Amino acid sequence: MTAADTPDSTGVHLLVPLKPLNRAKSRLLAGRGPAGHAELVTAMALDTVAAARRARGVAGVVVVSSDRALTESFTALGVEVLPDEPADGLNAALRHGDEVLRARGAFRVGALQADLPALRSGELGWALRAAGTDRSFCPDLPGDGTTLLLAEPGLPLDPRFGPGSADAHSESGAKTLLGPWESLRRDVDTEADLTSAKTTGLGPRTRARVASAE
């Protein structure tokens, strides 16, 4: 880790929610089988979190998941994993994580999607600087989803993920983050998304997983 990438102690604490592997990214299952699918989803999440941890302005990253295999993979790398409570969907998991972190005195909480295998630390850092202290969100490349949501310091995250989340977060008063951070907007849900992410540059674990399957 370089000095430029050292997390700021007053920066944002990012929550990264993950479904159980047998229910995650179902549109990437075809042709891989359950084991290959689980390995790909795990690799994408590990690359996403690794890039986020190196970004300037990130004080810490906490995964929210009750999947045993994912928990073991992340804890082996020193990443904290909170159980998915109350196991009632993405927004409920994020609200739980937000409450835990703010009870610990976190300066600011954000949510980052786990399917950003091409994420570049510098681009995430630029987006965080552009956000300032405003409630903010970054839309995905199609423009209807959300890849990053940031609360104002000291205030609840108030996540509104789901269909049309970009509009929902905008309507909640969040500032839209648009800038030179394509890798932050390039989430992967389908084979076509994965192919497109290759043009940006996949993280090492995802790249190795994809290469082994070719």
Side-chain angles (χ1 to χ4, degrees), residues 46 79 148:
L46 288 169
V79 179
L148 172 71

Side-chain angles (χ1 to χ4, degrees), residues 58-107:
V58 173
V61 180
V62 174
V63 169
V64 183
S65 179
S66 291
D67 185 279
R68 180 178 297 178
L70 286 171
T71 298
E72 291 175 353
S73 294
F74 280 105
T75 54
L77 296 177
V79 179
E80 181 182 4
V81 181
L82 291 176
D84 178 359
E85 296 178 0
D88 190 28
L90 174 60
N91 290 319
L94 288 171
R95 285 192 293 269
H96 167 65
D98 180 38
E99 291 171 359
V100 170
L101 293 185
R102 288 193 297 114
R104 295 177 183 175
F107 173 75

